């Protein structure tokens, strides 16, 4: 089964193996293997949006299939995404042992940032937190998905305003992939447990899905043994999610899709009492028309909250209680594809996003435990985008180009601090701002032969600062990081050249050179010892080489990705001392390779080796996080009828993975962890 394979390579490999080949302007009639016009009756997979446009492979794209998603060592979505070299979170920890507000996702080593520089969509809906911009990875089990499509480089099209480093599209699995009923239960050698289940009956001419997941456990010590104190705690976690989805055709060409999700995640990090939580409730409604005029209309609403208690690392008492951070995300989009003909696939439309939220927190004295201040902060960000894009097929040559115009506002920003005796310490109301951003992208794909395709692309993108970056200061003792209400959007310009090679059926190679620059990159800039402020840097420059390879021979498959990136900060003024430095949390080299063997109806054995190069904790090129090379294993063996035995191993060789290093105060990632369990389903 193809896994981390370039999208163009996957399509090509499928066509080479399929005697029913068809041209980009046609779709396959699966009954008689004859090409039919797209206006004729076709077989459509329910529950998805409009298909990718013909020239989508012109951009550097990796597709992760369902087999790869559900056979990771950890069973976590972020683990599966890490098979795409160049994907990174702010820290190396997964969602069981990281503060949720640090779980930003980015691509192409464009600098460590707790806010996502990549746009992540679930069934077309942006899922980043409206206040912080982090991704709630624990709310999405990989077993709920059919595929993930990762496009690297600045974005355009729907919701392109957030696709600074690229776009990650998560597609929910339908009834055909899930089966009527599935349940899985696992336990590891520390007593942590994982339970998931789904029910996907046919309803009318469509289907419904109800899925749930519950993960809990005492976790492991993130603090090295020689740094532990009586107050040190294991990384306890207890999270659940419950979702529902219904998909129904309405006539021949119209389909309605509705989705709901509720989740809660509780964690304890480093010290007893250092508890945090995140929760959310999401709804989305989508109408897809696949007639001559293809139309995709989507609306969504999200309600999120976050809490966090900070414990002093010297006196081990509560010093900060972020007791409430309610936030709301509202938005929608419409995309229209008219039948223009002439080899053109035209799409245009509009999208809208609104994020608002407030922070309520209390500050306490580390010496007396008495309340020092009540703090309040928040605001509203909006973005209205208009987009148009056209793919043009001229014989074998595919051309694509698009442009966006975004009207954004940054409104109602405030920060207020009130001392325990009622004295107003600060009462700031910040000026409203609004402006336009115009971004674009263009690409080309051309087959030199049946075995070689070349492609190239140029693009731009932008990302608004989040409410967190604009208005919320924070302390990781003894370092104070100030917010900055004057932050400007981050802007990216870049280009890439690539080649895809298909030496034989079931084999593909891909190589891409890219050159990206993020102007105004937001970073925590050191102003003096123990004092930082979020500021716009002049730029982050990143040039690199990306490689991907996939080989499938019957039940055997081998998939790998590798990226080398040369990234540096361009800094002047207060950031002049950062000029030429490697951005924090940015490795120079990363790679992943997975070997798998499929057997019987539902059996699979796989092994994954990943390597992440060394990186710096901060902007001064200090406090090194050493390179790490963990190995994970997965096995699922059918026992009888619908029952299978499952075993997983995370970090098999117990590699030391440093996830934080602040003045030699260290946090560690997952140690060797072995899971066993059972899966039953049909």
């Amino acid at each position: 089964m193809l896994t981390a394979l370039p999208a163009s390579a996957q399509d090509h490999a499928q066509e080479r193996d399929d005697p029913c080949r068809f041209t980009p302007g046609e779709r396959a009639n699966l009954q008689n293997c004859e090409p039919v016009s797209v206006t004729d009756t076709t077989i459509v997979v329910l529950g998805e949006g409009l298909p990718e446009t013909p020239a989508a492979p012109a951009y550097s794209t990796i597709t992760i299939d369902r087999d790869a998603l559900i056979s990771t060592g950890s069973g976590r979505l972020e683990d599966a995404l890490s098979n795409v070299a160049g994907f990174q979170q702010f820290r190396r920890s997964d969602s069981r042992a990281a503060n949720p507000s640090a779980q930003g996702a980015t691509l192409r080593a464009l600098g460590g940032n707790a806010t996502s520089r990549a746009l992540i969509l679930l069934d077309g809906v942006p899922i980043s937190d409206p206040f912080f911009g982090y991704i709630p990875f624990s709310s999405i089990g990989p077993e709920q998905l059919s595929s993930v499509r990762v496009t690297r480089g600045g974005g355009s099209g729907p919701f392109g305003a957030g696709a600074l480093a690229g776009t990650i599209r998560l597609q929910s699995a339908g009834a055909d992939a899930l089966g009527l009923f599935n349940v899985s239960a696992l336990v590891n050698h520390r007593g942590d447990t994982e339970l998931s289940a789904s029910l996907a009956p046919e309803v009318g001419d469509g289907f419904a899905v109800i899925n749930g997941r519950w993960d809990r456990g005492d976790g492991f010590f993130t603090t090295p043994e020689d740094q532990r104190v009586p107050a040190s705690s294991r990384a306890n976690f207890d999270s659940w999610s419950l979702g529902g989805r219904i998909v129904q055709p309405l006539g021949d060409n119209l389909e309605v899709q509705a989705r709901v999700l509720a989740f809660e995640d509780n964690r304890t990090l480093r010290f007893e009492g250092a508890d945090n939580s995140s929760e959310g409730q999401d709804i989305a409604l989508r109408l897809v028309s696949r007639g001559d005029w293809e139309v995709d209309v989507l609306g969504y609403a999200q309600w999120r909250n976050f809490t966090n208690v900070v414990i002093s690392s010297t006196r081990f008492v509560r010093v900060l209680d972020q007791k409430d951070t309610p936030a709301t995300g509202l938005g929608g989009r419409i995309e229209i594809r008219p039948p223009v003909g002439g080899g053109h696939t035209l799409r245009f439309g509009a999208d809208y996003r609104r994020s608002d939220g407030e922070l309520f927190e209390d500050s306490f004295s580390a010496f007396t435990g008495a309340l020092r201040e009540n703090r309040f902060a928040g605001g509203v960000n909006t973005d209205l985008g208009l987009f148009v894009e056209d793919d043009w097929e001229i014989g074998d040559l595919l051309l694509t180009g698009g442009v966006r115009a975004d009207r954004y506002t940054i409104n109602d920003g405030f920060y207020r601090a009130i001392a325990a005796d009622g004295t107003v310490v600060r009462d700031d109301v910040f000026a409203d701002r609004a402006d336009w951003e115009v971004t674009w992208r263009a690409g080309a794909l051309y087959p030199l032969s049946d075995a070689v395709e070349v492609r190239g692309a140029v693009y731009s993108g932008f990302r608004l600062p989040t409410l967190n970056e604009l208005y919320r200061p924070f302390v990781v003792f003894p370092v104070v990081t100030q917010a900055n209400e004057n932050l400007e959007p981050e802007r990216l310009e870049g280009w890439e050249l690539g080649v895809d090679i298909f030496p034989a059926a079931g084999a593909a190679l891909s190589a891409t050179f890219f050159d990206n620059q993020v102007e105004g990159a937001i970073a925590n800039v050191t102003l003096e010892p123990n004092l930082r402020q979020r500021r716009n840097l002049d730029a982050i420059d990143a040039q690199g080489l990306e490689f991907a390879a996939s080989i499938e021979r019957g039940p055997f498959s081998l998939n790998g990705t590798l990226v080398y990136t040369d990234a540096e900060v361009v800094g002047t003024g207060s950031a002049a001392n950062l000029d030429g430095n490697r951005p924090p949390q940015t490795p120079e080299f990363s790679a992943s390779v997975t070997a798998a063997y499929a057997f019987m109806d539902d059996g699979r054995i796989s092994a994954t080796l990943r390597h992440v190069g060394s990186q710096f904790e901060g902007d001064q090129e200090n406090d090194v996080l050493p390179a790490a090379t963990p190995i994970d294993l997965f096995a699922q063996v059918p026992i009888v009828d619908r029952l299978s035995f499952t075993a997983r191993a995370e970090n098999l060789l117990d590699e030391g993975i440093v996830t934080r290093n602040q003045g030699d105060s260290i946090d560690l990632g997952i140690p060797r962890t072995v899971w066993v369990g059972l899966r039953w389903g049909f």
Side-chain angles (χ1 to χ4, degrees):
M1 185 67 67
L2 299 176
T3 55
L5 183 67
S8 58
Q10 185 180 41
D11 297 339
H12 188 96
Q14 288 173 342
E15 289 181 10
R16 288 175 62 118
D17 292 338
D18 188 352
C20 308
R21 297 182 62 179
F22 54 97
T23 68
E26 299 170 329
R27 293 178 182 158
N29 183 318
L30 301 184
Q31 294 180 336
N32 56 26
C33 292
E34 293 179 358
V36 296
S37 167
V38 297
T39 60
D40 295 338
T41 300
T42 59
I43 296 175
V44 175
V45 179
L46 294 179
E48 298 187 0
L50 297 178
E52 289 285 351
T53 57
Y59 303 100
S60 177
T61 303
I62 295 286
T63 298
I64 309 174
D65 70 10
R66 179 169 172 80
D67 284 341
L69 288 169
I70 63 177
S71 59
T72 64
S74 68
R76 318 293 293 187
L77 174 58
E78 58 271 35
D79 194 8
L81 290 172
S82 295
N83 287 333
V84 179
F87 168 86
Q88 67 177 109
Q89 298 183 82
F90 179 57
R91 299 202 182 278
R92 297 172 175 178
S93 305
D94 67 26
S95 54
R96 294 165 294 184
N99 191 293
S101 64
Q103 289 190 256
T106 192
L107 298 161
R108 288 193 163 163
L110 293 178
N113 193 310
T115 298
S116 288
R117 286 193 167 120
L119 173 66
I120 301 186
L121 305 171
L122 174 60
D123 300 329
V125 176
I127 63 173
S128 59
D129 183 85
F131 188 92
F132 292 94
Y134 69 82
I135 306 301
F137 284 111
S138 63
S139 69
I140 305 170
E143 69 278 358
Q144 303 166 17
L145 303 175
S146 64
S147 66
V148 174
R149 192 177 181 96
V150 181
T151 302
R152 297 172 286 200
S156 187
F159 295 121
L164 191 80
T167 305
I168 300 174
R169 294 178 175 86
L170 313 178
Q171 176 61 49
S172 292
D176 57 337
L178 293 171
L180 177 59
F181 179 70
N182 273 282
V183 62
S184 173
L186 293 98
V187 62
N188 69 24
H189 69 279
R190 292 189 296 272
D192 305 339
T193 59
E194 175 192 307
L195 177 65
S196 64
S198 68
L199 178 66
E202 294 183 2
V203 177
D205 293 328
F207 64 87
V209 174
I210 300 174
N211 54 60
R213 178 163 171 151
W214 181 29
D215 299 89
R216 58 147 305 278
D218 291 333
F220 59 94
F221 280 105
T222 59
T223 307
E225 188 171 2
D226 61 357
Q227 294 186 7
R228 293 176 199 163
V229 297
S232 294
S233 172
R234 293 177 180 269
N236 305 326
F237 62 97
D238 191 339
S239 65
W240 61 265
S241 64
L242 181 64
R245 189 165 177 251
I246 188 165
V247 175
Q248 281 293 308
L250 302 176
D252 294 335
N253 297 314
L254 187 63
E255 178 183 313
V256 61
Q257 306 169 14
R259 182 172 59 83
V260 296
L261 173 68
F263 65 89
E264 183 176 326
D265 190 342
N266 298 279
R267 310 176 198 175
T268 299
L269 301 176
R270 196 170 175 82
F271 299 119
E272 295 287 348
D275 304 324
N276 64 72
S277 72
S278 60
E279 64 177 72
Q281 303 83 40
D282 297 1
I283 60 173
L285 181 65
R286 189 179 198 179
L287 291 173
V288 180
S289 173
R290 298 184 174 91
D292 290 339
W293 283 69
E294 294 183 310
V295 181
D296 192 343
V297 181
L298 171 70
Y300 69 89
Q302 302 163 328
W303 298 270
R304 305 287 174 83
N305 206 342
F306 171 79
T307 71
N308 185 49
V309 175
V310 178
I311 299 296
S312 166
S313 60
T314 55
R315 301 183 63 84
F316 312 111
V317 296
R318 178 181 60 168
V319 293
L320 184 67
D321 184 359
Q322 296 170 252
K323 57 186 180 181
D324 206 19
T325 318
T328 302
L330 301 172
R333 70 173 171 87
I334 179 170
E335 178 180 342
I336 301 172
R337 300 183 185 179
V340 294
H344 291 273
T345 301
L346 176 67
R347 63 174 181 162
F348 60 88
D351 55 66
Y352 176 76
R353 299 173 70 181
R354 183 182 191 273
S355 301
D356 72 85
E358 296 186 17
L359 166 73
F360 302 88
E361 67 180 25
D362 298 332
S363 172
F364 299 89
S365 169
F367 297 95
T368 67
L371 177 68
R372 296 178 58 189
E373 283 185 352
N374 303 120
R375 299 169 185 161
F376 312 89
V380 179
N381 287 355
T382 70
D383 181 274
L384 174 63
L386 308 173
F387 63 89
V388 60
E389 191 164 58
D390 182 52
D391 291 359
W392 188 13
E393 302 172 56
I394 311 172
D396 290 333
L397 176 65
L398 292 176
L399 299 176
T400 181
V403 64
R404 279 185 64 95
D406 287 87
R407 176 67 173 179
Y408 72 83
T409 67
I410 299 176
N411 294 334
D412 302 331
F414 71 93
Y415 179 82
R416 186 177 304 115
I418 302 174
D421 62 4
T423 303
V424 177
V425 179
R426 283 183 58 182
D427 191 4
D428 300 331
V429 177
F430 306 116
D432 294 345
R433 291 185 280 157
D435 206 346
W436 284 92
E437 288 284 343
V438 176
T439 56
W440 42 265
R441 70 175 183 176
L445 176 71
Y446 184 74
L448 298 179
S449 67
D450 285 343
V452 180
E453 294 177 348
V454 292
R455 52 185 163 79
V458 294
Y459 39 76
S460 67
F462 90 104
R463 178 185 74 85
L464 279 179
T466 63
L467 302 175
N468 174 59
E469 292 169 318
L470 289 164
Y471 309 123
R472 172 186 167 259
F474 68 94
V475 178
V476 179
F477 186 83
V479 179
V480 176
T481 301
Q482 300 173 338
N484 185 350
E485 71 279 3
N486 295 312
L487 290 172
E488 292 291 326
E490 298 180 333
R491 300 172 176 88
L492 175 138
E493 291 189 359
W495 59 273
E496 62 190 54
L497 293 173
V499 58
D500 301 320
I501 303 172
F502 318 106
L509 304 171
S510 173
T512 304
F513 174 82
F514 67 89
D515 187 331
N516 289 181
Q517 182 179 78
V518 182
E519 297 180 354
I522 298 171
N524 299 332
V525 176
T526 300
L527 306 181
E528 57 186 67
N530 297 330
L531 179 63
R532 297 174 182 170
Q533 186 183 43
R534 297 187 182 99
R535 293 197 173 182
N536 290 104
L537 302 173
D538 293 75
I540 291 176
D541 279 336
Q543 299 85 36
L545 286 168
E546 298 165 338
F547 298 94
S550 181
I551 301 172
E552 184 181 357
R553 287 290 181 269
F556 294 96
S557 63
L558 183 69
N559 296 274
T561 59
L562 178 152
V563 61
Y564 171 82
T565 308
D566 180 18
E568 67 176 25
V569 172
V570 178
T572 59
S574 61
N577 63 330
L578 305 181
D579 190 59
N581 286 3
R582 173 171 288 274
Q585 307 293 333
T586 301
E588 202 170 39
F589 177 81
S590 62
S592 173
V593 60
T594 298
Y597 175 72
F599 59 96
M600 301 177 69
D601 287 337
D602 208 20
R604 182 178 174 89
I605 299 173
S606 66
T608 298
L609 180 147
R610 295 192 188 92
H611 176 82
V612 179
S614 62
Q615 54 200 75
F616 297 110
E617 175 72 31
D619 59 358
Q620 305 296 306
E621 290 196 336
N622 54 1
D623 297 331
V624 174
L625 307 177
T629 310
I631 297 174
D632 294 348
L633 301 179
F634 174 87
Q636 181 167 290
V637 181
I639 301 175
V640 61
D641 196 12
R642 305 178 180 97
L643 185 66
S644 297
F645 170 76
T646 301
R648 304 190 315 223
E650 301 179 68
N651 194 5
L652 179 67
L653 302 182
D654 206 22
E655 175 89 350
I657 305 171
V658 178
T659 62
R660 185 188 67 89
N661 179 6
Q662 188 170 308
D664 292 328
S665 173
I666 288 174
D667 283 345
L668 298 175
I670 189 82
R672 178 170 49 235
T673 303
V674 178
W675 296 82
V676 294
L678 297 173
R679 175 181 176 271
W680 187 83
F682 63 93

